[in-house]
Every structure is written in C-alpha cells, then in structure tokens.
Amino acid sequence: MDPVGAEPLTGFRAERWMCLVLMSLRVLLAYTKEEVVLSRLADLMLPLRVPHALAPEALYDPLDIDSLGDNMEKAVARYLIQVVNVYGKHLCKILLQSPPAGTDTVFPFQQMSSLLLYLTHMFQSGSFCRVATAAMQAVHAESSIGTEVCGIEEINQHFLSLAYSYPTLSVQWCNILALLNYGEQGFWSRVLWPSIGSSVGTAGMARRNLNTPSYSCNFELVSQAGLILLCDYLCENIYDAEPMTWLIVNHVSEIIRLSSEPPVSDFISVIHRNPAASGLFVQAVLTRCRKQKALTT
C-alpha cells in the first residue's frame, strides 16, 4: 500500500530513496572512517545530488563535486543538509494532503527521525569531524551573509510546520542546530514561542487553543526542549550576547522553572559569572515578580 502523499508506483518513491540514504549512512558510520569515505568519494568522482523528483526547481545543483573541487567534506555536508531539506518538504506535503493516520503514513516521519539521529551521531561523536566542521561553516555562512547557501531557513520552516504533529522531529533538528552552534535569534524565538506581551514578534508555530491536549503535549514539548538546547548552546558561546540578553529578558520565568535541567543550571551559573548578565538576570526576575504582584493585587 502506498503511503499517503507518496508518488504512484509508476513514479518516484521518496521513501525508497530515503531507505537507500539511511542504509548507506548506517554502513558508513558503522564500518568506515571519515578519511576513507572522503578519499573514496574523491577517487570515484560521484556527484552528490538529491533526486530531481524531490527538487525539480534546482536547475543547477551546487552540490556537484566538480563545483567544490577537492573539498569533499564540504560536498558531503551540504548534500546531507539538502537531503534533510527536500525530505522535510516532502513530509510537509504529506501533512497537507492528509492528517497522520496509520503506519503507512508514519513511516516517512520515522525515516526522518533516523536520518536526524545519524546526523546527530556524526556531528557529536567526532567520528566525522571534518564533515561536521564543514556543515557548521555552511550554516554560519548563510546566517552571516543573509543569502541561501544550503537552505537552513527553509529547513527551519519545515520543522516548525511539523512541530504540531511530530514535535520530536522538531526537537531533533533543534539539537542538530545547537551542535552546529546555530544561534540565529529569529529561529529560536519561534521555537520558544514567546508569551503574550513579549517584545518579540509572532511565533513561527500556528497559535492553537492553549487548553487543548495537542498544545500541552506538542508545542510545550518543543518550547521547553528548545529552551534547554538554547541554554546548552549559550553555555558554549558565552560571548554571543544578543541571544543571551534576549533569552534572559523574555524567558526568565521558563529559565527558573527548568533550572533543574543540567543545561539550564549550567546557563544560570554562566550568567552569574558575568557581572552584566547577572545584573540583567536579577532585574528580569524583579520585573517578573512586580508584574505578578500587580496581577494579584
């Protein structure tokens, strides 16, 4: 039986292609070292392209090895990011065509979860440190120059759209961004879903009835996990003052509520080692207490 939203049997099957990607990654991660993989790809001169059926708008594929010369780690990193991009777009189409129901529909989302787990292992374990460094550089290049290099903004939007139905996928992607030292405030503000009255603009996730179980189980999961991951990022990037200031001013209540989580606890310790940040934190707590007192009187 075809998954909902998939192509007919006579057409391209995105799920079959993703099975091939996952199988290849699993073999490479389990049995091969990074140096061997990169050198072998360079020898074979294999073009790293996503299927045209998933990305028909790409008339010229910048991930072709010929365009990147000998920088194989950059080619692999950008290819993996584009795989996440096109398959995330595919998942969003499935959700738009039909609500999730049955194992056939869930399978593509399980594939994405497996892909994100493999990428997390690659970036966190150090087994593919050159690819991880190249991915980090690609992400930072897109953030700094403001033009699309590898489609990070588009991927972010895909996972924000998936948050309502598949929050764990959104959390997995946020974890990968934290590993890549991605501190773009606009994205994290949409993940944390600023409370009413916040100075930050509207959130990226659709506003639902706050009293529904779907909100409490899905949006709150993404929001709290996102705050924990952002705290973890800021502990490693203590001089990134803008997101730190924004987080303290707009989410001090959430920081206090989740202070038992190790990354949040470490973040509070980092704050108090910085006199300016510590003063800002105390002022934010005082302001919050005054607001609560005003509401009760």
Side-chain angles (χ1 to χ4, degrees):
M1 181 180 295
D2 289 348
V4 177
E7 299 292 336
L9 288 175
T10 56
F12 177 77
R13 292 292 299 273
E15 289 76 16
R16 291 180 181 175
W17 168 73
M18 181 53 70
C19 285
L20 178 61
V21 172
L22 293 175
M23 180 182 65
S24 302
L25 281 177
R26 184 173 181 84
V27 171
L28 293 177
L29 291 174
Y31 301 107
T32 315
K33 293 184 178 180
E34 181 183 42
E35 294 76 11
V36 177
V37 174
L38 297 179
S39 62
R40 188 59 176 162
L41 284 174
D43 293 339
L44 295 175
M45 294 297 292
L46 294 175
L48 299 178
R49 300 189 181 99
V50 297
H52 181 75
L54 283 177
E57 67 279 2
L59 300 179
Y60 169 71
D61 192 345
L63 303 181
D64 196 323
I65 288 180
D66 293 337
S67 67
L68 295 173
D70 297 329
N71 198 340
M72 284 307 308
E73 57 267 27
K74 185 175 181 180
V76 172
R78 292 177 64 183
Y79 170 73
L80 292 174
I81 292 173
Q82 193 175 45
V83 169
V84 176
N85 190 357
V86 297
Y87 210 66
K89 184 177 181 180
H90 174 67
L91 297 183
C92 290
K93 287 182 178 179
I94 293 177
L95 285 184
L96 288 175
Q97 292 176 6
S98 176
T103 56
D104 287 340
T105 307
V106 172
F107 178 64
F109 298 91
Q110 293 173 333
Q111 287 181 308
M112 175 62 86
S113 180
S114 297
L115 174 63
L116 296 178
L117 285 174
Y118 290 158
L119 295 183
T120 300
H121 173 76
M122 291 178 69
F123 297 155
Q124 191 168 21
S125 66
S127 58
F128 279 73
C129 57
R130 290 169 58 186
V131 174
T133 301
M136 190 180 303
Q137 292 172 348
V139 168
H140 289 180
E142 182 165 320
S143 300
S144 60
I145 65 179
T147 57
E148 184 171 325
V149 175
C150 51
I152 290 297
E153 284 297 327
E154 188 176 3
I155 300 175
N156 291 344
Q157 190 56 50
H158 293 333
F159 282 101
L160 288 172
S161 300
L162 293 172
Y164 185 72
S165 299
Y166 293 92
T168 53
L169 290 181
S170 301
V171 173
Q172 284 182 275
W173 176 244
C174 290
N175 184 42
I176 290 176
L177 291 180
L179 292 174
L180 297 178
N181 287 336
Y182 183 81
E184 189 66 29
Q185 182 179 318
F187 168 73
W188 289 106
S189 65
R190 288 178 287 168
V191 171
L192 299 190
W193 197 354
S195 57
I196 297 175
S198 171
S199 59
V200 183
T202 57
M205 293 179 284
R207 291 188 177 275
R208 304 278 180 168
N209 185 348
L210 303 188
N211 297 319
T212 62
S214 296
Y215 166 76
S216 61
C217 294
N218 295 342
F219 283 159
E220 194 65 25
L221 188 154
V222 174
S223 178
Q224 292 192 19
L227 186 138
I228 293 171
L229 291 169
L230 181 57
C231 287
D232 189 45
Y233 160 79
L234 291 173
C235 287
E236 300 294 330
N237 299 270
I238 59 176
Y239 297 108
D240 200 348
E242 186 175 353
M244 178 180 288
T245 301
W246 167 81
L247 183 62
I248 293 173
V249 171
N250 292 282
H251 294 278
V252 65
S253 298
E254 291 86 344
I255 293 173
I256 295 173
R257 188 171 72 249
L258 296 174
S259 59
S260 60
E261 297 289 342
V264 181
S265 177
D266 293 342
F267 176 65
I268 295 175
S269 299
V270 168
I271 289 175
H272 291 305
R273 288 198 293 268
N274 184 320
S278 181
L280 182 64
F281 183 77
V282 173
Q283 183 62 39
V285 172
L286 180 60
T287 301
R288 180 66 62 181
C289 291
R290 287 174 177 171
K291 288 182 179 179
Q292 292 294 331
K293 184 178 180 180
L295 291 174
T296 56
T297 56

